[in-house]
Amino acid sequence: MGAGGPAGVGVAPGAAEGSAAGAGSGAGAGSGAGAADRPGGRGAGPRSRALDGLRGYGLIAMMWIRATMTYRTSFALMLVGNMAITGLDFVAIYLMFRHVDVLGGFTLPEIALLYGLCSTSFGLTDLLMGNTDRLGARVRDGSLDTMLVRPVPVLAQVAADRFALRRLGRVVQGLAVLVWALSVLDVAWTPGRVLLVPMTVLAGTAIFSAVMVAGAAFQFVAGDAAEVQNSFTYGGNTMLQYPPTIFAKDLLRAVTFVLPLAFVNWVPALYLLGRPDPLGLPGWAAYAGPLVGFAVFVPASLAWRAGVRSYRSTGS
Amino acid sequence: MDGTGDAAGDVTGGMEGDMTEDVAGDMASDRGFGETGRAHTGRGGTGRGGTGRAGTGGGGKALIEVDGVRKVFEVRRRTGLMRREKREVRAVDGISFTVPRGEMVGYIGPNGAGKSTTIKMLTGILTPSAGRLRIAGIDPARQRTRLAHRIGVVFGQRTTLWWDLPLKDSYGLMRRMYRIPEDRFRRNLRRCVDELDLGDLLDVPVRQLSLGQRMRGDIAAALLHDPDVLYLDEPTIGLDVVSKVKVRRFLRELNAELGTTVLLTTHDLQDIEQLCERVMVIDHGRLMYDGPLAGLHSVGESERTLVVDLEREHPPIELPGTRTVKVEGPRQWLAFPATASAAPLVAEVARRYPLVDLSVREPDIEDVIARMYAGR
Amino acid sequence: MRLHVPLWCAVAAGGFRRYATYTTATAAGVFTNTVFGFVIAYTYIALWEERPGLGGYDQAQALTFVWVSQALLATSGLMGGGFHEELQQRVRTGDIAVDLYRPADLQLWWLFTDLGRAAFQLLGRGVVPLAVGALAFELALPGDPVRWLLFLLSVLLGAVVSFAIRYLLGLAAFWLLDGSGVNLIATVVAIFFSGMLLPLSVFPGAFGEFVRLLPWAAMLQVPLDVLMGTQGAGGAGLVRALGFQLAWALTLLGLGRLAQSAATRKVVVQGG
């Protein structure tokens, strides 16, 4: 259970063509600053910081993709392997349903909806932010130092570090289960409900990402504690694959009001399925995902800032 | 043998290699030691002896301002199975200095003295516990990304280049990351490629580069965005003689032509001798010395070592002005003052003893500093 | 290759101590195992409420399965994190040539190192999650000390089987350029066929029969059955369970030895 991010792929030797443009996102924005002799002086508002971060993320991620894409077969194998290992959780659910018709009052397609929503969100998070759990290792080997002297917000660099497209495997299998669930389930579709599905996936990605960031910040304090982060992310993901009805009420309250993982899939999925929320949340709560996703990022980014400030580096 | 010696000597006007330069018999003695002598007496090669440290009084013009900076770490140590002991370590304990634009400063001290901690505070990696830091008016810890555009950093032991991709790909990333205008990027890259001899390496994956090639590549990567300040942490550590020569020459020219301020930490006294008019010595987190290198030498009374290989085992050599520190079979080690020329000494040894081979060892920094303390 | 007891005890103690230094990592691992224990426990409660007696377990036994398997997860090296990545690294860098010419036998050296690690993780990562599980749920833990001793013996045999498989994985680096692909597959297989994902007794039909004969069953499923007394009737069932583990341990260790001598020949031919 919770078969985590599989062991890293050996990064392939590079023979990519030149340093020609094509680093996607960045190329256009880059030339704009040409006139300014010292681009460093530009306004450093939170918005431009976020844009700088996204741009830097794109640049670094592209470098990693190019570095790994030179070994195409190895990449394909790892992608399939990633899909298989992350799909095992659904195999477990499937095997359970060889013995039962309902679990916690939910049918297999209903659970598949829960599974598909949270696996897709978690897969996207794992793809985009998954390497933040390597922060402790980055601190230990000193390579965080080199990130701190770059003109890109360090969180973007940490998140883009070792960006691995093979992690699309989890997204793909999650999406496959989600599509299957949506095609067999009998949902009373309205435009709002249709919109709720992609919105939920994105909000879930934001919520999981915030947990990742907070977990990474914790590694500034306890360098070896990557597993604590995993227990909230991978553990949370495993929990969300099952219906909320099987868990204790206190646990549900904790993951609704304290660490609002419930908004990743439970709350919106129950609404789609026309089932009552076990904690009695109103129907509109299903649409609150994006708000929740935004709200959890505030403490997470504060924790991250505190973490960077307390960074001790290694050596003398 | 001879060839290597020539090459090294010609390029830099000084003895190269951190430890030895083998010279064959008395053949090479004239040339080799003449050069060394010059390097020590005048440091004339650079021709920029100048004002030395105008630093402290520089006030408004200073590029780097450090005022009463401290960094205190809390260290927890296991004393038993479960018990831990908390202890405060003052890695940097109240340091103040300024560096005006265009100066090259050597920052030296024993391991664990606080060198790296200082550099890390200057580059925004670490937040100081107390004191005031400004680089070109920027507070490093608070405006890290803004500072990044103004500084270049080279960590001797750790490459920032993309391991699996050709060298030029890393430079392409730098161009976009620092938003370097195309023409400026091309100009800077060409300059680095020419002077650091990177032409054949641009298409080679970084992991296939030698340590020296990689270091040159790293230095170029740190300079593409025209930083005001270049920090170098042990830039010549582990490099071969030829690479050291190239790196030092490049840094000298960079400083002379572009006026880039350079702050470097090193264990290699020759880096300092050939590059820096000003030296700061740090130990136990405090600044012990700040001034020209010559002053450090006279304070330290440091010694160089002549390593002599004789035809056969021989009782310890006795020459005025030297002392034999070690004898091992036919090889003997003679210490002599760093300020003295080696040439007459070598001539004397060659005249009186069956000489096979010899080399000169420069005093290392630890040694100089140790003597500096002993002299107080 | 005589068994030199003090030497191997020292090697195992070294493995134990090495892992004992990672206190934060151990604490974090305990936390993770406990969180997963809770999550999985609730899913099993739901499953066994729907189908009491599924796989021959009552609900307390199913919950015991959850918490003991969380306690054994690190010990049995199911999720990687053992020595084989290090062994592969040594093969890649060529350091292995030195190891092969040491007087101490390579396989035994790694075996005892790994058993030392397993012993530490049994204590460091096993005890707390199991205690938490026992406090939070009603488990079917035996009161008979003999049963616990048999369980420990079975865990030991399971650890040897786990070692032997990972040793083969490690040596595979002699023939493969990159170990990460095999390691990934090995992890998938181990999670699926050990009972970690779902007790093997719950696997349906002939497929279930088949998985219970594979070596991965020896790593988790069998020790749990020995603990709960669900390994089959009486003494015969017990002998069969332990015999099953022992047979796989010896077979796989033997395969490892063959691979090792092939690898040694390869090193000799290539000159290291």
Side-chain angles (χ1 to χ4, degrees):
Chain A
M1 293 263 167
V9 63
V11 177
E17 293 298 318
S19 62
S25 57
S31 44
D37 205 23
R38 288 290 175 197
R42 265 169 310 119
R47 220 188 111 155
S48 84
R49 253 186 93 72
L51 287 177
D52 271 0
L54 283 178
R55 180 177 173 277
Y57 183 98
L59 291 174
I60 297 166
M62 277 312 295
M63 292 291 275
W64 282 109
I65 292 174
R66 271 160 60 189
T68 39
M69 272 312 189
T70 42
Y71 262 163
R72 271 161 213 273
T73 22
S74 173
F75 168 74
L77 276 176
M78 295 301 282
L79 182 69
V80 172
N82 187 277
M83 220 182 297
I85 198 168
T86 57
L88 276 185
D89 284 350
F90 194 70
V91 173
I93 294 172
Y94 175 78
L95 285 177
M96 287 180 180
F97 273 89
R98 294 292 301 263
H99 299 284
V100 296
D101 296 324
V102 286
L103 196 65
F106 282 61
T107 63
L108 181 59
E110 286 176 319
I111 288 181
L113 176 66
L114 293 174
Y115 179 96
L117 283 173
C118 79
S119 285
T120 310
S121 288
F122 187 59
L124 284 171
T125 307
D126 190 39
L127 176 71
L128 297 174
M129 308 286 291
N131 283 310
T132 51
D133 73 355
R134 290 176 38 83
L135 184 88
R138 284 313 206 180
V139 169
R140 273 194 299 280
D141 71 15
S143 47
L144 192 70
D145 286 359
T146 61
M147 296 181 182
L148 284 162
V149 299
R150 289 279 146 80
V152 172
V154 70
L155 178 58
Q157 296 184 65
V158 170
D161 181 38
R162 301 203 174 211
F163 181 88
L165 270 187
R166 66 164 188 283
R167 293 175 178 219
L168 272 174
R170 190 192 286 272
V171 181
V172 170
Q173 61 90 16
L175 268 180
V177 173
L178 178 62
V179 167
W180 175 74
L182 289 174
S183 66
V184 290
L185 279 172
D186 199 14
V187 179
W189 290 110
T190 62
R193 289 182 180 186
V194 172
L195 195 67
L196 183 59
V197 175
M199 201 173 88
T200 298
V201 168
L202 293 180
T205 309
I207 294 170
F208 272 132
S209 298
V211 178
M212 289 268 189
V213 171
F218 183 59
Q219 289 187 41
F220 278 112
V221 186
D224 291 342
E227 282 225 51
V228 172
Q229 184 177 1
N230 291 346
S231 59
F232 286 109
T233 52
Y234 291 95
N237 179 52
T238 307
M239 177 185 73
L240 295 176
Q241 291 164 0
Y242 293 90
T245 46
I246 69 172
F247 295 101
K249 276 272 162 60
D250 284 336
L251 184 61
L252 293 188
R253 281 188 201 102
V255 296
T256 307
F257 301 116
V258 183
L259 184 69
L261 291 174
F263 289 89
V264 170
N265 65 344
W266 278 348
V267 178
L270 291 177
Y271 172 78
L272 282 180
L273 296 171
R275 286 171 174 273
D277 187 280
L279 295 180
L281 292 184
W284 56 261
Y287 290 91
L291 215 64
V292 172
F294 190 75
V296 287
F297 246 102
V298 175
S301 57
L302 287 177
W304 173 260
R305 273 169 184 235
V308 173
R309 190 143 303 177
S310 72
Y311 174 55
R312 307 169 43 136
S313 189
T314 47
S316 51
Chain B
M1 275 289 152
D2 209 12
T4 327
D6 281 355
D10 285 342
V11 187
T12 59
M15 293 285 283
E16 284 304 331
D18 53 344
M19 286 301 170
T20 59
E21 171 178 292
D22 289 350
V23 277
D26 35 22
M27 269 262 310
S29 61
D30 293 14
R31 170 186 209 118
F33 292 110
E35 305 261 280
T36 326
R38 187 162 68 88
H40 278 277
T41 45
R43 270 178 35 251
T46 61
R48 272 185 302 106
T51 49
R53 54 178 300 235
T56 21
K61 283 197 144 185
L63 185 66
I64 303 175
E65 299 168 70
V66 178
D67 188 12
V69 164
R70 279 173 213 280
K71 182 69 188 178
V72 181
F73 290 114
E74 208 170 70
V75 179
R76 270 177 297 179
R77 208 161 51 94
R78 280 166 67 105
T79 48
L81 191 63
M82 280 292 146
R83 276 189 317 175
R84 292 230 170 121
E85 195 181 75
K86 261 193 198 174
R87 200 161 54 92
E88 278 198 347
V89 175
R90 298 179 170 199
V92 171
D93 194 7
I95 282 186
S96 303
F97 62 84
T98 58
V99 178
R101 197 176 284 276
E103 203 167 50
M104 284 183 110
V105 180
Y107 197 54
I108 62 177
N111 283 328
K115 283 179 306 198
S116 297
T117 306
T118 312
I119 298 279
K120 282 172 183 172
M121 286 191 286
L122 288 171
T123 48
I125 293 171
L126 290 176
T127 313
S129 311
R132 184 173 179 277
L133 268 178
R134 290 292 180 275
I135 314 295
I138 298 172
D139 179 352
R142 290 191 177 277
Q143 297 166 285
R144 204 170 349 90
T145 46
R146 206 178 139 210
L147 177 74
H149 287 282
R150 311 291 294 268
I151 62 170
V153 186
V154 179
F155 300 100
Q157 303 285 50
R158 194 175 304 132
T159 184
T160 60
L161 303 171
W162 232 261
W163 196 245
D164 285 305
L165 293 175
L167 185 57
K168 66 179 177 194
D169 286 23
S170 293
Y171 297 151
L173 179 69
M174 291 298 131
R175 178 173 75 76
R176 294 197 186 86
M177 204 184 248
Y178 286 86
R179 302 174 194 263
I180 308 167
E182 185 68 46
D183 54 334
R184 178 188 288 267
F185 171 76
R186 248 185 300 213
R187 194 173 66 230
N188 288 346
L189 183 59
R190 193 176 322 119
R191 180 193 161 81
C192 288
V193 166
D194 289 348
E195 293 183 20
L196 285 168
D197 217 356
L198 296 170
D200 298 333
L201 308 178
L202 284 177
D203 290 306
V204 179
V206 171
R207 72 190 135 76
Q208 290 173 15
L209 300 180
S210 73
L211 196 62
Q213 292 169 333
R214 212 161 67 213
M215 172 56 73
R216 275 143 55 199
D218 262 311
I219 291 176
L223 290 169
L224 295 174
H225 60 289
D226 284 329
D228 294 327
V229 192
L230 179 64
Y231 299 98
L232 299 152
D233 195 5
E234 300 286 353
T236 58
I237 199 164
L239 299 197
D240 59 285
V241 174
V242 180
S243 290
K244 280 187 188 188
V245 173
K246 283 181 183 159
V247 165
R248 287 179 190 146
R249 185 187 53 188
F250 177 77
L251 292 175
R252 262 200 311 272
E253 285 172 8
L254 176 82
N255 176 256
E257 290 170 27
L258 299 182
T260 308
T261 309
V262 179
L263 187 60
L264 66 100
T265 71
T266 185
H267 272 86
D268 189 334
L269 202 57
Q270 291 208 330
D271 285 346
I272 306 274
E273 281 176 346
Q274 296 184 16
L275 296 173
C276 307
E277 58 257 36
R278 175 177 169 197
V279 183
M280 287 189 273
V281 180
I282 185 174
D283 195 24
H284 293 99
R286 290 171 175 278
L287 209 52
M288 306 301 291
Y289 176 85
D290 184 356
L293 179 69
L296 183 59
H297 262 297
S298 61
V299 174
E301 295 273 296
S302 59
E303 287 182 325
R304 287 189 287 161
T305 310
L306 186 66
V307 184
V308 180
D309 283 327
L310 303 175
E311 273 172 17
R312 56 187 176 278
E313 287 188 33
H314 204 278
I317 295 173
E318 283 180 37
L319 283 174
T322 72
R323 53 195 185 88
T324 308
V325 283
K326 194 165 137 192
V327 178
E328 207 178 271
R331 177 172 283 195
Q332 304 203 4
W333 283 259
L334 274 71
F336 62 99
T339 43
S341 168
L345 183 59
V346 172
E348 198 61 19
V349 172
R351 195 173 61 78
R352 288 168 50 179
Y353 298 92
L355 186 64
V356 176
D357 194 3
L358 50 74
S359 59
V360 175
R361 245 168 234 199
E362 296 304 321
D364 71 14
I365 277 182
E366 314 271 332
D367 192 41
V368 171
I369 294 166
R371 281 164 183 284
M372 191 175 127
Y373 291 136
R376 291 204 163 182
Chain C
M1 201 193 77
R2 274 167 300 125
L3 263 183
H4 188 284
V5 178
L7 168 69
W8 298 120
C9 285
V11 171
F16 186 99
R17 268 199 305 276
R18 183 172 157 195
Y19 279 83
T21 53
Y22 303 125
T23 35
T24 339
T26 305
V30 166
F31 184 75
T32 310
N33 290 139
T34 310
V35 168
F36 271 94
F38 272 105
V39 171
I40 300 167
Y42 282 117
T43 69
Y44 280 20
I45 289 173
L47 187 61
W48 262 266
E49 253 165 25
E50 206 67 44
R51 275 290 305 272
L54 178 64
Y57 299 145
D58 60 25
Q59 187 171 303
Q61 286 173 323
L63 288 174
T64 310
F65 199 101
V66 172
W67 286 100
V68 175
S69 56
Q70 284 300 321
L72 290 182
L73 182 58
T75 301
S76 55
L78 283 172
M79 305 278 283
F83 68 95
H84 61 282
E85 282 104 347
E86 193 182 338
L87 182 54
Q88 287 166 345
Q89 186 63 32
R90 291 188 75 78
V91 173
R92 258 194 299 280
T93 57
D95 292 345
I96 194 74
V98 183
D99 299 351
L100 283 169
Y101 288 112
R102 277 211 192 105
D105 180 75
L106 187 70
Q107 191 187 32
L108 285 178
W109 194 85
W110 282 111
L111 171 63
F112 282 94
T113 308
D114 196 51
L115 289 179
R117 172 201 63 82
F120 171 74
Q121 294 193 323
L122 187 64
L123 293 172
R125 291 194 52 177
V127 174
V128 175
L130 186 56
V132 171
L135 285 174
F137 299 92
E138 195 182 312
L139 303 188
L141 294 172
D144 177 10
V146 177
R147 197 101 337 256
W148 282 98
L149 285 176
L150 287 170
F151 167 68
L152 287 180
L153 177 62
S154 181
V155 168
L156 174 67
L157 288 170
V160 175
V161 171
S162 164
F163 162 81
I165 291 175
R166 285 175 292 132
Y167 189 69
L168 286 170
L169 268 184
L171 290 185
F174 275 103
W175 293 275
L176 296 168
L177 277 174
D178 176 23
S180 56
V182 231
N183 291 349
L184 179 60
I185 292 163
T187 310
V188 179
V189 169
I191 290 169
F192 192 78
F193 291 115
S194 63
M196 192 65 225
L197 192 67
L198 208 57
L200 297 183
S201 44
V202 176
F203 279 44
F207 181 59
E209 296 288 329
F210 172 67
V211 258
R212 288 191 282 276
L213 291 177
L214 297 176
W216 293 278
M219 292 157 63
L220 203 65
Q221 181 73 39
V222 173
L224 271 152
D225 281 333
V226 168
L227 179 69
M228 299 192 293
T230 46
Q231 81 285 357
L238 194 66
V239 170
R240 231 179 43 144
L242 296 176
F244 169 79
Q245 287 183 301
L246 189 63
W248 269 122
L250 293 176
T251 309
L252 290 165
L253 285 176
L255 280 176
R257 195 137 281 283
L258 286 179
Q260 182 179 325
S261 50
T264 313
R265 272 198 302 279
K266 206 169 143 74
V267 169
V268 172
V269 169
Q270 294 177 348

